[in-house]
Structure formats: C-alpha cells, structure tokens
Short mmCIF file of all heavy atoms in Angstrom, two decimals:
data_model
loop_
_atom_site.label_atom_id
_atom_site.label_comp_id
_atom_site.label_asym_id
_atom_site.label_seq_id
_atom_site.Cartn_x
_atom_site.Cartn_y
_atom_site.Cartn_z
N MET A 1 -18.15 20.46 29.39
CA MET A 1 -17.17 19.63 28.67
C MET A 1 -17.74 19.25 27.32
O MET A 1 -18.81 18.67 27.22
CB MET A 1 -16.87 18.37 29.51
CG MET A 1 -15.81 17.48 28.88
SD MET A 1 -15.31 16.17 30.02
CE MET A 1 -14.44 15.09 28.89
N ILE A 2 -17.04 19.60 26.30
CA ILE A 2 -17.49 19.31 24.95
C ILE A 2 -16.52 18.36 24.27
O ILE A 2 -15.34 18.32 24.59
CB ILE A 2 -17.61 20.59 24.10
CG1 ILE A 2 -16.27 21.34 24.05
CG2 ILE A 2 -18.71 21.50 24.63
CD1 ILE A 2 -16.25 22.49 23.10
N ALA A 3 -17.07 17.57 23.37
CA ALA A 3 -16.24 16.64 22.63
C ALA A 3 -15.34 17.41 21.68
O ALA A 3 -15.79 18.30 20.96
CB ALA A 3 -17.10 15.66 21.85
N ALA A 4 -14.11 17.08 21.73
CA ALA A 4 -13.15 17.77 20.86
C ALA A 4 -13.40 17.42 19.40
O ALA A 4 -13.41 16.25 19.03
CB ALA A 4 -11.73 17.39 21.24
N GLU A 5 -13.66 18.46 18.66
CA GLU A 5 -13.87 18.26 17.22
C GLU A 5 -12.54 18.52 16.51
O GLU A 5 -12.01 19.61 16.58
CB GLU A 5 -14.94 19.23 16.72
CG GLU A 5 -15.49 18.88 15.35
CD GLU A 5 -16.44 17.68 15.41
OE1 GLU A 5 -17.14 17.52 16.44
OE2 GLU A 5 -16.49 16.92 14.44
N PRO A 6 -12.02 17.49 15.90
CA PRO A 6 -10.73 17.69 15.22
C PRO A 6 -10.84 18.72 14.11
O PRO A 6 -11.79 18.72 13.34
CB PRO A 6 -10.38 16.31 14.66
CG PRO A 6 -11.69 15.59 14.58
CD PRO A 6 -12.53 16.14 15.71
N LEU A 7 -9.87 19.63 14.08
CA LEU A 7 -9.90 20.67 13.06
C LEU A 7 -9.67 20.09 11.68
O LEU A 7 -10.23 20.55 10.70
CB LEU A 7 -8.82 21.72 13.36
CG LEU A 7 -9.05 22.51 14.66
CD1 LEU A 7 -7.86 23.44 14.93
CD2 LEU A 7 -10.34 23.32 14.58
N THR A 8 -8.86 19.07 11.65
CA THR A 8 -8.61 18.42 10.36
C THR A 8 -9.15 17.00 10.43
O THR A 8 -8.82 16.25 11.33
CB THR A 8 -7.11 18.39 10.04
OG1 THR A 8 -6.43 17.73 11.09
CG2 THR A 8 -6.55 19.79 9.88
N SER A 9 -10.00 16.68 9.50
CA SER A 9 -10.59 15.35 9.48
C SER A 9 -9.53 14.29 9.21
O SER A 9 -8.70 14.45 8.32
CB SER A 9 -11.67 15.29 8.39
OG SER A 9 -12.11 13.95 8.25
N PRO A 10 -9.55 13.23 10.00
CA PRO A 10 -8.56 12.16 9.79
C PRO A 10 -8.75 11.45 8.46
O PRO A 10 -7.83 10.80 7.99
CB PRO A 10 -8.78 11.21 10.96
CG PRO A 10 -10.18 11.49 11.40
CD PRO A 10 -10.44 12.95 11.10
N ILE A 11 -9.94 11.56 7.91
CA ILE A 11 -10.17 10.87 6.63
C ILE A 11 -9.89 11.78 5.45
O ILE A 11 -10.11 11.43 4.32
CB ILE A 11 -11.62 10.33 6.53
CG1 ILE A 11 -12.62 11.48 6.62
CG2 ILE A 11 -11.87 9.26 7.58
CD1 ILE A 11 -14.05 11.06 6.34
N ARG A 12 -9.41 13.00 5.77
CA ARG A 12 -9.07 13.91 4.69
C ARG A 12 -7.97 13.28 3.84
O ARG A 12 -6.94 12.86 4.36
CB ARG A 12 -8.58 15.24 5.27
CG ARG A 12 -8.28 16.30 4.22
CD ARG A 12 -7.88 17.59 4.93
NE ARG A 12 -6.64 17.41 5.69
CZ ARG A 12 -5.44 17.62 5.16
NH1 ARG A 12 -5.33 17.99 3.90
NH2 ARG A 12 -4.37 17.47 5.90
N THR A 13 -8.21 13.27 2.58
CA THR A 13 -7.21 12.66 1.70
C THR A 13 -6.15 13.69 1.33
O THR A 13 -6.43 14.86 1.20
CB THR A 13 -7.86 12.12 0.42
OG1 THR A 13 -8.53 13.19 -0.24
CG2 THR A 13 -8.84 11.01 0.73
N HIS A 14 -4.97 13.20 1.20
CA HIS A 14 -3.87 14.05 0.77
C HIS A 14 -2.86 13.19 0.04
O HIS A 14 -2.99 11.97 -0.01
CB HIS A 14 -3.23 14.76 1.97
CG HIS A 14 -2.38 13.87 2.81
ND1 HIS A 14 -1.02 13.97 2.86
CD2 HIS A 14 -2.70 12.82 3.61
CE1 HIS A 14 -0.55 13.02 3.67
NE2 HIS A 14 -1.55 12.32 4.14
N GLU A 15 -1.88 13.82 -0.49
CA GLU A 15 -0.85 13.08 -1.23
C GLU A 15 0.06 12.40 -0.22
O GLU A 15 0.90 13.03 0.41
CB GLU A 15 -0.04 14.06 -2.09
CG GLU A 15 0.83 13.37 -3.11
CD GLU A 15 0.07 13.07 -4.40
OE1 GLU A 15 -1.01 13.63 -4.59
OE2 GLU A 15 0.58 12.28 -5.19
N HIS A 16 -0.17 11.10 -0.04
CA HIS A 16 0.65 10.37 0.92
C HIS A 16 2.09 10.29 0.45
O HIS A 16 2.36 10.08 -0.73
CB HIS A 16 0.11 8.95 1.13
CG HIS A 16 -1.20 8.90 1.86
ND1 HIS A 16 -1.34 9.35 3.16
CD2 HIS A 16 -2.41 8.46 1.48
CE1 HIS A 16 -2.60 9.18 3.54
NE2 HIS A 16 -3.28 8.66 2.54
N GLY A 17 2.97 10.47 1.42
CA GLY A 17 4.39 10.31 1.09
C GLY A 17 4.89 8.99 1.65
O GLY A 17 5.43 8.95 2.75
N TRP A 18 4.64 7.94 0.92
CA TRP A 18 4.94 6.60 1.43
C TRP A 18 6.44 6.34 1.47
O TRP A 18 7.16 6.64 0.53
CB TRP A 18 4.29 5.54 0.55
CG TRP A 18 2.80 5.61 0.49
CD1 TRP A 18 2.04 5.90 -0.60
CD2 TRP A 18 1.86 5.40 1.56
NE1 TRP A 18 0.70 5.87 -0.27
CE2 TRP A 18 0.57 5.57 1.04
CE3 TRP A 18 2.01 5.08 2.91
CZ2 TRP A 18 -0.57 5.44 1.82
CZ3 TRP A 18 0.87 4.96 3.68
CH2 TRP A 18 -0.40 5.13 3.15
N ILE A 19 6.87 5.79 2.60
CA ILE A 19 8.23 5.30 2.69
C ILE A 19 8.16 3.82 3.06
O ILE A 19 7.25 3.39 3.75
CB ILE A 19 9.07 6.06 3.74
CG1 ILE A 19 8.43 5.93 5.13
CG2 ILE A 19 9.26 7.51 3.34
CD1 ILE A 19 9.32 6.44 6.23
N THR A 20 9.08 3.08 2.57
CA THR A 20 9.09 1.63 2.82
C THR A 20 9.69 1.33 4.19
O THR A 20 10.81 1.73 4.48
CB THR A 20 9.89 0.90 1.74
OG1 THR A 20 9.31 1.19 0.46
CG2 THR A 20 9.85 -0.60 1.98
N GLU A 21 8.89 0.70 5.04
CA GLU A 21 9.38 0.32 6.36
C GLU A 21 10.12 -1.00 6.29
O GLU A 21 11.20 -1.14 6.85
CB GLU A 21 8.20 0.20 7.33
CG GLU A 21 7.47 1.49 7.55
CD GLU A 21 7.63 1.99 8.97
OE1 GLU A 21 6.94 1.48 9.85
OE2 GLU A 21 8.45 2.90 9.18
N SER A 22 9.50 -1.94 5.64
CA SER A 22 10.15 -3.24 5.48
C SER A 22 9.48 -3.98 4.34
O SER A 22 8.39 -3.62 3.91
CB SER A 22 10.05 -4.06 6.77
OG SER A 22 8.70 -4.31 7.09
N ARG A 23 10.14 -5.00 3.89
CA ARG A 23 9.56 -5.78 2.81
C ARG A 23 9.91 -7.24 3.02
O ARG A 23 10.97 -7.56 3.56
CB ARG A 23 10.06 -5.28 1.46
CG ARG A 23 11.55 -5.42 1.24
CD ARG A 23 11.99 -4.80 -0.09
NE ARG A 23 11.89 -3.34 -0.07
CZ ARG A 23 11.97 -2.58 -1.15
NH1 ARG A 23 12.11 -3.13 -2.33
NH2 ARG A 23 11.90 -1.27 -1.06
N HIS A 24 8.99 -8.07 2.65
CA HIS A 24 9.19 -9.50 2.85
C HIS A 24 8.79 -10.25 1.59
O HIS A 24 7.72 -10.01 1.03
CB HIS A 24 8.34 -10.00 4.02
CG HIS A 24 8.60 -9.26 5.29
ND1 HIS A 24 9.64 -9.55 6.14
CD2 HIS A 24 7.95 -8.21 5.86
CE1 HIS A 24 9.62 -8.73 7.17
NE2 HIS A 24 8.60 -7.89 7.03
N ARG A 25 9.66 -11.11 1.18
CA ARG A 25 9.34 -11.91 0.00
C ARG A 25 8.60 -13.17 0.45
O ARG A 25 9.09 -13.89 1.33
CB ARG A 25 10.62 -12.28 -0.75
CG ARG A 25 10.37 -13.06 -2.03
CD ARG A 25 11.65 -13.26 -2.81
NE ARG A 25 12.19 -11.98 -3.29
CZ ARG A 25 11.71 -11.34 -4.38
NH1 ARG A 25 10.73 -11.87 -5.07
NH2 ARG A 25 12.22 -10.21 -4.76
N THR A 26 7.45 -13.38 -0.10
CA THR A 26 6.67 -14.56 0.23
C THR A 26 6.43 -15.36 -1.04
O THR A 26 6.79 -14.91 -2.14
CB THR A 26 5.30 -14.18 0.85
OG1 THR A 26 4.49 -13.61 -0.16
CG2 THR A 26 5.48 -13.19 1.97
N SER A 27 5.82 -16.50 -0.87
CA SER A 27 5.54 -17.34 -2.04
C SER A 27 4.51 -16.65 -2.94
O SER A 27 4.44 -16.92 -4.14
CB SER A 27 5.02 -18.70 -1.58
OG SER A 27 3.86 -18.54 -0.79
N GLU A 28 3.69 -15.77 -2.33
CA GLU A 28 2.67 -15.06 -3.10
C GLU A 28 3.26 -13.90 -3.88
O GLU A 28 2.71 -13.46 -4.87
CB GLU A 28 1.59 -14.54 -2.16
CG GLU A 28 0.83 -15.63 -1.42
CD GLU A 28 -0.04 -16.45 -2.36
OE1 GLU A 28 -0.75 -15.84 -3.17
OE2 GLU A 28 0.01 -17.68 -2.29
N GLY A 29 4.37 -13.39 -3.38
CA GLY A 29 4.97 -12.23 -4.01
C GLY A 29 5.72 -11.41 -2.99
O GLY A 29 6.12 -11.92 -1.93
N LEU A 30 5.85 -10.12 -3.27
CA LEU A 30 6.59 -9.25 -2.37
C LEU A 30 5.61 -8.43 -1.54
O LEU A 30 4.78 -7.70 -2.06
CB LEU A 30 7.50 -8.32 -3.19
CG LEU A 30 8.54 -7.52 -2.43
CD1 LEU A 30 9.53 -8.46 -1.74
CD2 LEU A 30 9.26 -6.58 -3.37
N VAL A 31 5.69 -8.59 -0.22
CA VAL A 31 4.84 -7.82 0.69
C VAL A 31 5.65 -6.63 1.19
O VAL A 31 6.71 -6.80 1.77
CB VAL A 31 4.38 -8.68 1.88
CG1 VAL A 31 3.53 -7.84 2.83
CG2 VAL A 31 3.58 -9.88 1.39
N ILE A 32 5.13 -5.43 0.95
CA ILE A 32 5.85 -4.22 1.31
C ILE A 32 5.04 -3.44 2.34
O ILE A 32 3.87 -3.12 2.12
CB ILE A 32 6.10 -3.34 0.07
CG1 ILE A 32 6.82 -4.14 -1.02
CG2 ILE A 32 6.92 -2.10 0.45
CD1 ILE A 32 6.99 -3.37 -2.32
N TYR A 33 5.66 -3.16 3.49
CA TYR A 33 5.03 -2.37 4.53
C TYR A 33 5.49 -0.93 4.37
O TYR A 33 6.67 -0.64 4.48
CB TYR A 33 5.40 -2.90 5.91
CG TYR A 33 4.89 -4.29 6.19
CD1 TYR A 33 5.55 -5.41 5.67
CD2 TYR A 33 3.76 -4.50 6.96
CE1 TYR A 33 5.09 -6.69 5.91
CE2 TYR A 33 3.29 -5.77 7.22
CZ TYR A 33 3.96 -6.86 6.69
OH TYR A 33 3.49 -8.12 6.94
N VAL A 34 4.52 -0.04 4.11
CA VAL A 34 4.87 1.35 3.89
C VAL A 34 4.18 2.23 4.92
O VAL A 34 3.15 1.87 5.48
CB VAL A 34 4.49 1.80 2.46
CG1 VAL A 34 5.28 1.05 1.42
CG2 VAL A 34 3.00 1.62 2.22
N ARG A 35 4.75 3.41 5.16
CA ARG A 35 4.19 4.36 6.12
C ARG A 35 4.26 5.74 5.50
O ARG A 35 5.22 6.09 4.83
CB ARG A 35 4.99 4.32 7.43
CG ARG A 35 4.48 5.27 8.48
CD ARG A 35 5.20 5.04 9.80
NE ARG A 35 6.65 5.25 9.68
CZ ARG A 35 7.21 6.45 9.81
NH1 ARG A 35 6.48 7.51 10.05
NH2 ARG A 35 8.52 6.58 9.70
N CYS A 36 3.21 6.53 5.77
CA CYS A 36 3.19 7.89 5.26
C CYS A 36 3.95 8.78 6.24
O CYS A 36 3.65 8.78 7.43
CB CYS A 36 1.75 8.39 5.09
SG CYS A 36 1.65 10.10 4.53
N VAL A 37 4.91 9.54 5.73
CA VAL A 37 5.72 10.39 6.60
C VAL A 37 4.93 11.61 7.08
O VAL A 37 5.30 12.26 8.04
CB VAL A 37 7.00 10.86 5.87
CG1 VAL A 37 7.91 9.68 5.59
CG2 VAL A 37 6.66 11.58 4.59
N ASP A 38 3.84 11.91 6.41
CA ASP A 38 3.06 13.10 6.75
C ASP A 38 1.99 12.82 7.80
O ASP A 38 1.88 13.51 8.79
CB ASP A 38 2.41 13.67 5.50
CG ASP A 38 3.43 14.30 4.56
OD1 ASP A 38 4.45 14.79 5.06
OD2 ASP A 38 3.20 14.28 3.35
N CYS A 39 1.18 11.77 7.57
CA CYS A 39 0.06 11.53 8.46
C CYS A 39 0.21 10.23 9.25
O CYS A 39 -0.67 9.86 10.00
CB CYS A 39 -1.25 11.51 7.67
SG CYS A 39 -1.43 10.08 6.59
N ASP A 40 1.34 9.55 9.08
CA ASP A 40 1.63 8.34 9.85
C ASP A 40 0.68 7.20 9.53
O ASP A 40 0.50 6.29 10.32
CB ASP A 40 1.63 8.63 11.34
CG ASP A 40 2.57 7.68 12.09
OD1 ASP A 40 3.63 7.35 11.54
OD2 ASP A 40 2.22 7.24 13.20
N ALA A 41 0.03 7.28 8.37
CA ALA A 41 -0.83 6.19 7.95
C ALA A 41 0.03 5.01 7.51
O ALA A 41 1.16 5.19 7.08
CB ALA A 41 -1.72 6.64 6.80
N HIS A 42 -0.54 3.84 7.66
CA HIS A 42 0.18 2.65 7.26
C HIS A 42 -0.54 1.95 6.13
O HIS A 42 -1.76 2.08 5.98
CB HIS A 42 0.33 1.67 8.44
CG HIS A 42 1.28 2.15 9.49
ND1 HIS A 42 0.97 3.17 10.35
CD2 HIS A 42 2.53 1.76 9.80
CE1 HIS A 42 2.00 3.37 11.16
NE2 HIS A 42 2.97 2.53 10.86
N ARG A 43 0.19 1.21 5.35
CA ARG A 43 -0.41 0.46 4.28
C ARG A 43 0.49 -0.73 3.98
O ARG A 43 1.70 -0.68 4.19
CB ARG A 43 -0.54 1.33 3.02
CG ARG A 43 -1.55 0.78 2.02
CD ARG A 43 -1.66 1.69 0.83
NE ARG A 43 -0.43 1.68 0.04
CZ ARG A 43 -0.23 2.45 -1.02
NH1 ARG A 43 -1.15 3.30 -1.38
NH2 ARG A 43 0.88 2.38 -1.69
N ILE A 44 -0.14 -1.79 3.58
CA ILE A 44 0.62 -2.98 3.20
C ILE A 44 0.37 -3.23 1.72
O ILE A 44 -0.77 -3.41 1.30
CB ILE A 44 0.20 -4.20 4.04
CG1 ILE A 44 0.43 -3.93 5.53
CG2 ILE A 44 0.98 -5.43 3.59
CD1 ILE A 44 -0.08 -5.06 6.42
N ASP A 45 1.43 -3.19 0.99
CA ASP A 45 1.33 -3.43 -0.45
C ASP A 45 1.73 -4.86 -0.77
O ASP A 45 2.61 -5.43 -0.14
CB ASP A 45 2.22 -2.47 -1.22
CG ASP A 45 1.67 -1.06 -1.24
OD1 ASP A 45 0.55 -0.86 -0.72
OD2 ASP A 45 2.34 -0.17 -1.74
N MET A 46 1.04 -5.39 -1.74
CA MET A 46 1.39 -6.73 -2.21
C MET A 46 1.72 -6.65 -3.67
O MET A 46 0.92 -6.19 -4.47
CB MET A 46 0.23 -7.70 -1.96
CG MET A 46 0.34 -8.98 -2.78
SD MET A 46 1.74 -10.02 -2.35
CE MET A 46 0.97 -11.05 -1.11
N VAL A 47 2.92 -7.03 -3.99
CA VAL A 47 3.33 -7.07 -5.39
C VAL A 47 3.41 -8.52 -5.80
O VAL A 47 4.36 -9.21 -5.43
CB VAL A 47 4.69 -6.37 -5.60
CG1 VAL A 47 5.07 -6.42 -7.08
CG2 VAL A 47 4.63 -4.94 -5.10
N PRO A 48 2.40 -9.01 -6.48
CA PRO A 48 2.42 -10.42 -6.89
C PRO A 48 3.67 -10.71 -7.72
O PRO A 48 4.07 -9.89 -8.55
CB PRO A 48 1.16 -10.56 -7.74
CG PRO A 48 0.28 -9.44 -7.32
CD PRO A 48 1.21 -8.31 -6.93
N SER A 49 4.25 -11.83 -7.45
CA SER A 49 5.48 -12.19 -8.16
C SER A 49 5.24 -12.25 -9.66
O SER A 49 6.15 -12.02 -10.46
CB SER A 49 6.01 -13.53 -7.65
OG SER A 49 4.98 -14.50 -7.71
N ALA A 50 4.01 -12.52 -10.04
CA ALA A 50 3.68 -12.61 -11.46
C ALA A 50 3.68 -11.23 -12.11
O ALA A 50 3.88 -11.11 -13.30
CB ALA A 50 2.33 -13.27 -11.65
N ALA A 51 3.44 -10.19 -11.27
CA ALA A 51 3.34 -8.85 -11.83
C ALA A 51 4.69 -8.33 -12.31
O ALA A 51 4.77 -7.53 -13.22
CB ALA A 51 2.76 -7.90 -10.79
N ALA A 52 5.74 -8.80 -11.65
CA ALA A 52 7.07 -8.32 -12.02
C ALA A 52 7.42 -8.76 -13.43
O ALA A 52 7.98 -8.01 -14.21
CB ALA A 52 8.09 -8.84 -11.02
N THR A 53 7.08 -10.00 -13.71
CA THR A 53 7.37 -10.51 -15.05
C THR A 53 6.11 -11.13 -15.62
O THR A 53 5.91 -12.34 -15.53
CB THR A 53 8.49 -11.57 -15.01
OG1 THR A 53 8.12 -12.57 -14.07
CG2 THR A 53 9.82 -10.95 -14.62
N PRO A 54 5.22 -10.29 -16.13
CA PRO A 54 3.96 -10.81 -16.68
C PRO A 54 4.24 -11.72 -17.88
O PRO A 54 4.80 -11.29 -18.88
CB PRO A 54 3.20 -9.56 -17.09
CG PRO A 54 4.23 -8.51 -17.26
CD PRO A 54 5.33 -8.86 -16.30
N ALA A 55 3.88 -12.97 -17.68
CA ALA A 55 4.10 -13.91 -18.77
C ALA A 55 2.82 -14.71 -18.99
O ALA A 55 2.09 -15.02 -18.04
CB ALA A 55 5.25 -14.85 -18.41
N ALA A 56 2.58 -15.03 -20.20
CA ALA A 56 1.38 -15.80 -20.52
C ALA A 56 1.54 -17.22 -20.04
O ALA A 56 2.57 -17.86 -20.23
CB ALA A 56 1.14 -15.78 -22.03
N LEU A 57 0.51 -17.70 -19.36
CA LEU A 57 0.56 -19.08 -18.88
C LEU A 57 0.18 -20.06 -19.99
O LEU A 57 0.47 -21.24 -19.92
CB LEU A 57 -0.40 -19.25 -17.70
CG LEU A 57 0.05 -18.58 -16.39
CD1 LEU A 57 -1.04 -18.71 -15.34
CD2 LEU A 57 1.34 -19.18 -15.89
N SER A 58 -0.52 -19.52 -20.98
CA SER A 58 -0.94 -20.39 -22.07
C SER A 58 -0.82 -19.63 -23.37
O SER A 58 -0.56 -18.43 -23.39
CB SER A 58 -2.39 -20.85 -21.86
OG SER A 58 -3.27 -19.77 -22.10
N THR A 59 -1.00 -20.31 -24.41
CA THR A 59 -1.04 -19.62 -25.70
C THR A 59 -2.38 -18.90 -25.81
O THR A 59 -3.29 -19.15 -25.03
CB THR A 59 -0.91 -20.64 -26.86
OG1 THR A 59 -1.94 -21.61 -26.72
CG2 THR A 59 0.44 -21.33 -26.82
N VAL A 60 -2.48 -18.03 -26.75
CA VAL A 60 -3.71 -17.28 -26.94
C VAL A 60 -4.82 -18.22 -27.37
O VAL A 60 -4.66 -18.98 -28.33
CB VAL A 60 -3.53 -16.16 -27.97
CG1 VAL A 60 -4.86 -15.47 -28.23
CG2 VAL A 60 -2.49 -15.18 -27.51
N VAL A 61 -5.91 -18.19 -26.60
CA VAL A 61 -7.03 -19.06 -26.93
C VAL A 61 -8.12 -18.23 -27.57
O VAL A 61 -8.64 -17.29 -26.97
CB VAL A 61 -7.57 -19.76 -25.67
CG1 VAL A 61 -8.76 -20.64 -26.03
CG2 VAL A 61 -6.48 -20.56 -24.99
N THR A 62 -8.47 -18.53 -28.77
CA THR A 62 -9.52 -17.80 -29.45
C THR A 62 -10.79 -18.64 -29.49
O THR A 62 -10.72 -19.87 -29.50
CB THR A 62 -9.10 -17.45 -30.90
OG1 THR A 62 -8.78 -18.66 -31.59
CG2 THR A 62 -7.89 -16.56 -30.89
N GLY A 63 -11.90 -17.95 -29.46
CA GLY A 63 -13.16 -18.66 -29.54
C GLY A 63 -13.31 -19.35 -30.88
O GLY A 63 -13.30 -18.69 -31.91
N ALA A 64 -13.43 -20.65 -30.86
CA ALA A 64 -13.50 -21.39 -32.13
C ALA A 64 -14.88 -21.24 -32.75
O ALA A 64 -15.86 -21.35 -32.04
CB ALA A 64 -13.22 -22.86 -31.89
ZN1 ZN B 1 -0.51 10.55 4.44
#
C-alpha cells in the first residue's frame, strides 16, 4: 500500500475563475465570498467602504 501521490499539486497556481457566492455589507465595508469554478477554492474579499470613494480625511499636510 503506497500513499497516493496527487498527479496535480493542490498548491499549483492557476488563473482562478472567481464567482461571487454571496456578499454582505458590514460597517467595515463589503465582504464578498467568492469561489473558484475550476478548483473549488474559496476566498473572502473585503472591500473597505473607503476604497469605493477614496476621499481625503484631511487637507494635505506638508512638513513645515
Ligand atoms: Zn482556482
């Protein structure tokens, strides 16, 4: 009995084809649950609410 050696390494990188499973709006931003249709990998994306509309919180501060 020998240990099965996978022909394709699970850590092999490829072009993931992410599809959005669900998304939830939180106070931190938008949390998006995505899944790869090819290798069934999962990933959770976080889109900070600030990223959608990048705005300066202050005026430009220059070193005096
Ligand atoms: Zn994949």
Side-chain angles (χ1 to χ4, degrees):
M1 183 171 165
I2 57 172
E5 195 75 32
L7 295 175
T8 57
S9 172
I11 60 172
R12 184 177 64 90
T13 58
H14 74 110
E15 193 86 14
H16 290 298
W18 299 115
I19 59 170
T20 302
E21 296 247 282
S22 62
R23 63 184 70 193
H24 304 277
R25 183 173 295 280
T26 70
S27 58
E28 297 292 313
L30 191 62
V31 178
I32 305 175
Y33 295 79
V34 296
R35 180 173 61 86
C36 177
V37 294
D38 290 330
C39 69
D40 209 37
H42 289 73
R43 199 179 68 184
I44 301 175
D45 286 356
M46 163 65 91
V47 181
S49 53
T53 53
L57 288 175
S58 72
T59 57
V60 175
V61 179
T62 58

